[in-house]
Amino acid sequence: ASKAGHTASSIWCESQGTVFVSIGFAESPWADLYDVEVALVQGEGDDTNEPQSRPFLSVTSVSSPVEIIDLQPNATYRFWVRGHSKDAAMESYGWGGLSDPVLCRTKDLNICS
């Protein structure tokens, strides 16, 4: 039976730097691959359901955590994760639903003068 209906549950900010964020998530026994999606948060709010913020990047991994690199300094990003069923016949099928989003902010770029 396919586990495509499963949704990843827990996601958190593992660590942040000026141009990277490391995302942790709860691994699932039914999943063999994970997809972390990334969106830049526009504006000053911290609303996790902000409509104008759409994913621009997707990074896959077989385990947690996942390091997302080449981000803007001092910027807030929204992250989601979803799992892929190890029972799926092909990688393009068997993806579960997205987790609730988590917000993480990169650190400010400090330039010595």
Side-chain angles (χ1 to χ4, degrees):
S2 174
K3 307 292 189 285
H6 286 226
T7 300
S9 57
S10 298
I11 182 172
W12 59 88
C13 301
E14 190 86 12
S15 62
Q16 299 99 328
T18 54
V19 295
F20 80 90
V21 172
S22 182
I23 297 297
F25 51 86
E27 295 180 22
S28 174
W30 59 264
D32 62 354
L33 187 64
Y34 300 92
D35 171 43
V36 176
E37 298 195 10
V38 185
L40 178 64
V41 173
Q42 307 292 328
E44 296 299 315
D46 63 354
D47 180 7
T48 58
N49 295 310
E50 195 173 293
Q52 70 264 32
S53 187
R54 302 283 183 233
F56 69 90
L57 178 64
S58 174
V59 178
T60 56
S61 178
V62 296
S63 63
S64 173
V66 174
E67 189 171 274
I68 312 296
I69 61 171
D70 295 332
L71 300 175
Q72 294 177 10
N74 199 31
T76 301
Y77 292 88
R78 182 173 294 108
F79 299 88
W80 301 264
V81 65
R82 63 183 178 156
H84 179 265
S85 173
K86 61 185 172 188
D87 295 334
M90 298 174 63
E91 192 174 305
S92 58
Y93 299 103
W95 287 101
L98 291 170
S99 67
D100 288 333
V102 64
L103 294 176
C104 305
R105 187 169 185 82
T106 53
K107 293 181 179 179
D108 199 10
L109 181 62
N110 293 321
I111 301 174
C112 298
S113 51

